[in-house]
Amino acid sequence: MYRTRPIEGKRRARELRLQHYRDIWNAREEGKLLVMGGMRVPFELVAGFGDFECLNEHYSITVGTRPELAQRYAEAFESRGFARDFCALSRLYLGSMFAGESPFGPFPRPDFCFMYHACDIQGKWFQVVSEHFGVPYFCIEQPVTYPPEEARRRRNIKYLAEQFYDFIQWGERVLGRKFDDERFLKATYNSLECQSLWGEICCMNKAVPAPLDERALYALTAVACIMRHKDEAVAFYRELRDEIAYRRDEGIAAVAGERYRMMHDNQPPYYFLELYQIAERYGVVCIGSHTSFYLIGAFETGPDGRLRGRRTPREQGVEFRSREDIVEFLARWYEDMPFYQDIMVPELRLHNTLRLVEEWGVNGVLIHINRGCEGVTSAALLIRNALKERGIPTAIYEANYVDRRDFSQSQVVDILESFLESQGLTPLEGR
Amino acid sequence: MNALQPFRDAVLRRHDYAREWKARTGGKTVGFLCTYVPEEILYAAEILPVRVLGGHEPQDVTEPYITGRYCAFCRDCLAQGLLGKYEYLDGLVHAHSCIHIAQTFSWWQKLLPLDYSHFIYMPAQVQSPRVKECLVAELREFKASLERWLGRPISPQDLSRAVAAYNENRRLLWRLYELRKAEPPYLWGSEAMEVTVAATYTEKREHSRWLRRLIEEAMSREDRPSPAVRLMLIGGEFDDIEFLKLVEELGGNVVVDDHCLGTRYFWNEVPQDGDPIEALAIRYLERSPCPQKDWVARRRLDIISRLAEEWRVQGAILAQQKFCDPHEYDLPVIRDFLEGRGIPCLFLEMDVTLPAGQFRTRLEAFLETFQLGF
């Protein structure tokens, strides 16, 4: 058995998450802009227009941890004639909006909507929000660089940069505010450092024993999803990096009985995170996943050919002298992020997932066919097929990450336990 | 009408048509999975573009590859490939549209022999002024990849000829649709759909020849459709001719549509001045949009409104492929929009096969509301 102890950063992450929701509901009183959009929205650009808060998909996940509330919002959405089989995050978000309520108070009215579009519905989602409130809407599209060729990459970087400039112009016109390059620069440094640090932290989980488990990873990545442009987020990830490095170096495990490294592909049913504890009883650590790593984490290939946290602009020796320098750098950064392009192209998703399986020393994969997310689920069977060819065992269950109506607990637990038993694992004594 | 027969044959024997074309011309056939693929470039290379469509029969061959929560259409298309129905295809092209059909393309490439395949990044943000440059470059690469495969160049003249052939076909299809403005229309909806479905995989000049004859014959036909409730069909992928026949049997007639095998397929022409690749990019960016590409502004509502008005539509059928998220986002908005203008809507969820009994009951009830003057 390895030594273990709770991850201290989780407490601070929780404080920051709660602060985030308090800040959103107080944004107006505090004179901040309130934006509605997605997790990958370039916060760096929004910051150029002043202090702001952004209500994004993380809100749906928060609601999704409370099944009764989630059901009420889903039904509020469906009662308007929308289908119940599509993006569950958008259903809860929009249902809450239509119901005019939230766990934090009445659903607020945004100043504008701003989305970063990749999967089929992202551009549509905030179209509905902007129409509901009658507020302006801007959307940036993530271009697809496939097949990955340099000329196409350069072209798509240019396309992204142009969209960033368009947003600045649009914002100045719509908000009647001048874009502040100093704020833009500061938010860029903060945001990119958070993403780099998260990439670095994820890479620390290649160690045996793993210092982090998947449950902690989701709790910890949330800070970057909601406030990566802020000073407190950077401070949090710097401290967390030190804590996880210490755990790695001292062999402090997330799961004391680690003897099997599993990847849980796709996001978990957030209302049933006990899934990870059940696996833990068998000596299984879930070392991370495509979503918990790549959604926010920035990676690059190091000299040893393995992934590492992407170097920040300062680490790369980049000095920003103008708005154009920042926009250009930011466009390259966004273009190279793995998540989003890979949910549109199954081969990219497969490539990124196989790399994760290989480098993080995964023994087996539990695949969640997530009825609530077409994007992340789309390559599931391609991945399974490829893993099978490589002799990596897999099991599949079907559920929904935030809509418990699509979840059968006994079935899912049966699938998990049968899979683990098929791997020769039995529950550890005394657990 | 005799002039309908070639279209009917092409629909009933679509694979034979392509095989016979290959045997006759010695040319290559390339399948495409979405109407955002610029067929003109294939045609300019003397290739027969063949729209891959489903078979509308239950199948169980795609289960290991695409889970049942993705649209029936994308699974049905892959099934047709796996069942060997498209064995005559030399290549396959896809233009990025939705996550569902992307899987069809991915698995097809992996599981089925192809001499050639190509992915076009078709941007979603078609309303952005920045997007044209991106698409132009993608189309140039598509053309270059074809040239490498074929080992011969596609000249500007080849492209101009192809564009002219496609534009003519689009004009003729609109002329045919014009005949449906009359009361009663000169065509049943099911007849018009035979024409448009066939357009997606038959040789364009040949299709245009058939069309010219049909238009002429339709205008003097003696068996003109009987008066019926004038309907509009709105949806995504829709090639279920049997469904339209059911509508007709129950007293309705689809006189116009907004779906991928209807007006969205031939909506606008390619400008014939300037650089032909740039002109193609403009055409595909400005066409009637798929809902996946209809943001931040909604262009579809204006389009639907115009069609409903000009074709004097009394009611609308909103037919949606189950699990199609972009359409699922649009349809309640379209329903409210149309009903707010006094056009009642019937929402139907489509799968591989038609639940004829259920749909019959629902259609009957819907159509009775018009017949009884509600």
Side-chain angles (χ1 to χ4, degrees):
Chain A
M1 297 289 270
Y2 296 105
R3 279 194 298 154
T4 187
R5 68 178 189 212
I7 296 157
E8 288 170 22
K10 281 174 77 173
R11 188 180 46 79
R12 179 63 181 146
R14 185 166 188 277
E15 286 169 7
L16 289 171
R17 293 198 306 270
L18 291 173
Q19 179 196 316
H20 168 69
Y21 287 106
R22 272 196 299 272
D23 287 347
I24 286 175
W25 264 261
N26 292 329
R28 226 165 260 294
E29 287 166 25
E30 292 171 5
K32 293 178 185 171
L33 288 170
L34 180 56
V35 184
M36 292 195 178
M39 285 181 189
R40 285 292 328 161
V41 156
F43 291 167
E44 305 87 351
L45 289 168
V46 186
F49 290 110
D51 290 339
F52 76 95
E53 301 295 337
C54 181
L55 188 69
N56 62 28
E57 299 98 325
H58 187 267
Y59 170 68
S60 310
I61 294 171
T62 305
V63 170
T65 59
R66 297 169 62 176
E68 284 173 19
L69 195 63
Q71 182 167 340
R72 195 160 82 235
Y73 293 166
E75 285 170 357
F77 182 61
E78 289 149 17
S79 70
R80 302 221 165 195
F82 291 99
R84 70 159 283 184
D85 59 47
F86 70 93
C87 171
L89 294 184
S90 68
R91 283 192 283 127
L92 300 195
Y93 193 107
L94 295 171
S96 171
M97 178 187 81
F98 287 135
E101 58 168 270
S102 83
F104 308 101
F107 196 88
R109 178 190 169 82
D111 292 291
F112 65 94
C113 294
F114 185 22
M115 190 51 171
Y116 194 80
H117 174 90
C119 90
D120 294 345
I121 56 90
Q122 286 174 314
K124 305 297 289 181
W125 176 344
F126 288 90
Q127 186 180 47
V128 175
V129 178
S130 77
E131 288 170 348
H132 180 77
F133 287 109
V135 297
Y137 177 31
F138 195 92
C139 188
I140 287 173
E141 174 180 18
Q142 167 71 61
V144 180
T145 304
Y146 185 78
E149 288 161 359
E150 189 52 29
R152 182 175 278 120
R153 176 176 171 268
R154 279 202 303 273
R155 185 166 73 235
N156 287 343
I157 288 169
K158 182 168 176 278
Y159 176 40
L160 266 176
E162 286 170 345
Q163 293 183 79
F164 291 173
Y165 287 123
D166 286 347
F167 173 73
I168 293 171
Q169 275 188 2
W170 178 89
E172 287 189 332
R173 196 180 69 246
V174 164
L175 301 172
R177 295 182 179 198
K178 194 163 165 41
F179 188 77
D180 184 330
D181 288 305
E182 284 304 313
R183 284 175 171 276
F184 176 36
L185 180 65
K186 188 173 185 329
T188 299
Y189 276 130
N190 281 347
S191 170
L192 302 193
E193 187 174 345
C194 283
Q195 295 173 57
S196 290
L197 284 165
W198 185 246
E200 187 183 344
I201 290 164
C202 292
C203 287
M204 290 179 190
N205 230 29
K206 292 178 185 178
V208 178
L212 288 160
D213 67 335
E214 178 80 329
R215 190 174 169 145
L217 282 160
Y218 278 117
L220 298 167
T221 195
V223 175
C225 292
I226 55 183
M227 55 165 73
R228 58 187 173 275
H229 59 294
K230 292 185 177 177
D231 292 340
E232 52 265 54
V234 178
F236 167 73
Y237 283 110
R238 285 180 184 164
E239 207 170 304
L240 183 68
R241 185 258 322 267
D242 294 344
E243 184 193 351
I244 304 307
Y246 177 79
R247 289 174 69 97
R248 177 198 59 194
D249 296 343
E250 294 298 315
I252 299 170
V255 173
E258 176 181 327
R259 55 180 172 156
Y260 189 94
R261 294 165 71 85
M262 189 167 83
M263 186 180 85
H264 179 275
D265 189 64
N266 215 313
Q267 295 180 66
Y270 282 104
Y271 43 82
F272 188 68
L273 296 175
E274 293 92 325
L275 190 76
Y276 296 119
Q277 287 167 321
I278 294 167
E280 211 176 297
R281 284 206 294 271
Y282 286 78
V284 172
V285 60
C286 286
I287 51 82
S289 68
H290 168 266
T291 310
S292 58
F293 286 3
Y294 296 141
L295 176 61
I296 290 297
F299 298 86
E300 64 186 8
T301 302
D304 60 355
R306 290 161 63 83
L307 286 173
R308 67 180 186 191
R310 190 171 184 176
R311 286 164 301 153
T312 62
R314 287 192 178 101
E315 286 166 344
Q316 291 181 36
V318 174
E319 200 178 320
F320 296 125
R321 292 196 175 85
S322 63
R323 178 187 296 179
E324 289 70 28
D325 285 351
I326 313 172
V327 167
E328 171 70 18
F329 189 91
L330 208 53
R332 277 207 306 276
W333 188 280
Y334 274 75
E335 168 60 22
D336 293 342
M337 291 293 282
F339 199 91
Y340 275 4
Q341 286 209 45
D342 75 359
I343 57 177
M344 292 185 275
V345 181
E347 284 73 17
L348 294 177
R349 166 92 157 86
L350 174 65
H351 169 82
N352 291 333
T353 305
L354 290 179
R355 196 156 184 193
L356 195 160
V357 167
E358 190 185 315
E359 289 196 26
W360 272 260
V362 169
N363 303 113
V365 180
L366 181 64
I367 297 173
H368 175 193
I369 303 290
N370 182 357
R371 289 189 197 174
C373 181
E374 284 178 359
V376 178
T377 306
S378 70
L381 298 184
L382 194 66
I383 291 166
R384 186 194 194 203
N385 189 60
L387 291 171
K388 197 173 160 191
E389 284 169 6
R390 286 161 179 76
I392 307 275
T394 59
I396 286 186
Y397 73 95
E398 189 163 340
N400 187 313
Y401 55 169
V402 290
D403 189 342
R404 201 181 168 116
R405 292 174 299 174
D406 291 335
F407 180 69
S408 164
Q409 183 171 326
S410 56
Q411 262 185 13
V412 171
V413 172
D414 274 356
I415 289 168
L416 173 62
E417 292 192 323
S418 310
F419 176 60
L420 298 179
E421 284 162 17
S422 77
Q423 299 302 297
L425 300 169
T426 51
L428 296 171
E429 283 179 22
R431 294 185 64 85
Chain B
M1 279 194 298
N2 292 336
L4 265 174
Q5 201 54 46
F7 302 101
R8 198 157 284 163
D9 290 344
V11 167
L12 293 173
R13 300 172 56 246
R14 69 176 70 158
H15 302 300
D16 291 340
Y17 177 89
R19 284 190 205 98
E20 285 161 15
W21 180 90
K22 262 184 107 161
R24 193 171 68 242
T25 64
K28 292 183 187 297
T29 55
V30 169
F32 62 99
L33 292 166
C34 174
T35 52
Y36 275 100
V37 169
E39 290 174 57
E40 293 89 337
I41 299 178
L42 294 165
Y43 193 79
E46 297 177 354
I47 290 168
L48 178 68
V50 176
R51 177 75 202 266
V52 175
L53 294 170
H56 296 289
E57 288 171 353
Q59 56 87 13
D60 59 1
V61 293
T62 58
E63 293 304 307
Y65 311 114
I66 305 176
T67 72
R69 64 152 342 276
Y70 291 93
C71 83
F73 178 75
C74 78
R75 287 180 282 128
D76 198 6
C77 286
L78 179 61
Q80 300 309 302
L82 295 174
L83 293 168
K85 300 283 174 68
Y86 283 100
E87 104 293 337
Y88 54 85
L89 290 182
D90 298 293
L92 188 69
V93 181
H94 182 47
H96 176 66
S97 47
C98 70
I99 285 166
H100 301 245
I101 204 79
Q103 296 176 83
T104 308
F105 181 62
S106 173
W107 279 112
W108 197 302
Q109 281 181 303
K110 195 173 168 58
L111 300 171
L112 295 163
L114 289 169
D115 282 350
Y116 169 82
S117 67
H118 189 82
F119 171 84
I120 300 167
Y121 160 50
M122 174 67 216
Q125 175 80 299
V126 295
Q127 295 173 14
S128 165
R130 307 295 190 178
V131 80
K132 189 180 126 193
E133 193 182 329
C134 242
L135 184 56
V136 167
E138 286 287 334
L139 298 189
R140 289 198 200 288
E141 276 166 25
F142 173 40
K143 175 174 164 285
S145 82
L146 277 175
E147 289 171 331
R148 283 194 297 277
W149 177 47
L150 298 170
R152 63 172 190 269
I154 302 168
S155 70
Q157 292 75 25
D158 294 334
L159 276 170
S160 293
R161 276 194 293 273
V163 164
Y166 271 72
N167 278 353
E168 188 198 16
N169 191 254
R170 288 171 181 132
R171 280 194 294 277
L172 288 168
L173 284 167
W174 276 118
R175 274 182 59 197
L176 187 78
Y177 268 48
E178 289 286 322
L179 298 181
R180 301 162 77 190
K181 283 183 175 173
E183 178 51 36
Y186 288 94
L187 284 171
W188 288 106
S190 59
E191 293 170 335
M193 186 173 274
E194 286 174 329
V195 176
T196 55
V197 168
T200 65
Y201 48 75
T202 50
E203 204 278 335
K204 272 289 172 289
R205 287 191 187 92
E206 185 168 39
H207 189 268
S208 292
R209 272 200 306 278
W210 298 344
L211 250 175
R212 276 191 291 272
R213 203 178 130 219
L214 174 65
I215 291 165
E216 211 171 291
E217 203 174 298
M219 288 169 72
S220 56
R221 77 188 291 186
E222 287 174 4
D223 58 340
R224 206 164 153 180
S226 48
V229 179
R230 300 176 67 87
L231 298 171
M232 181 174 186
L233 179 64
I234 298 171
E237 294 299 332
F238 200 101
D239 63 341
D240 204 324
I241 294 164
E242 292 307 309
F243 172 80
L244 294 198
K245 287 181 180 165
L246 178 62
V247 171
E248 289 155 13
E249 189 189 314
L250 298 172
N253 189 4
V254 171
V255 294
V256 75
D257 57 67
D258 173 52
H259 61 75
C260 296
L261 284 132
T263 58
R264 268 213 294 280
Y265 177 65
F266 56 88
W267 184 256
N268 57 338
E269 293 183 26
V270 181
Q272 280 190 275
D273 51 347
D275 177 84
I277 295 290
E278 284 193 24
L280 278 170
I282 291 168
R283 189 268 161 187
Y284 283 88
L285 291 170
E286 292 183 353
R287 57 162 269 192
S288 171
C290 163
Q292 191 259 358
K293 302 184 193 302
D294 197 28
W295 47 269
V296 290
R298 288 185 191 273
R299 285 178 57 207
R300 287 188 74 207
L301 293 184
D302 287 343
I303 287 168
I304 288 167
S305 169
R306 192 184 121 195
L307 293 173
E309 196 177 314
E310 289 188 20
W311 270 260
R312 291 177 291 152
V313 163
Q314 294 169 273
I317 297 173
L318 310 182
Q320 183 226 312
Q321 286 286 342
K322 192 170 169 61
F323 302 125
C324 175
D325 279 10
H327 278 281
E328 286 176 343
Y329 256 106
D330 266 10
L331 287 180
V333 177
I334 291 170
R335 179 204 59 199
D336 291 350
F337 175 81
L338 287 175
E339 290 186 347
R341 281 156 183 74
I343 298 175
C345 298
L346 174 68
F347 175 82
L348 296 174
E349 198 171 60
M350 312 305 284
D351 214 319
V352 175
T353 53
L354 185 78
Q358 283 180 23
F359 279 6
R360 172 183 287 274
T361 306
R362 296 185 62 192
L363 278 165
E364 249 170 357
F366 181 62
L367 292 168
E368 276 170 11
T369 61
F370 297 95
Q371 289 147 357
L372 295 171
F374 289 144

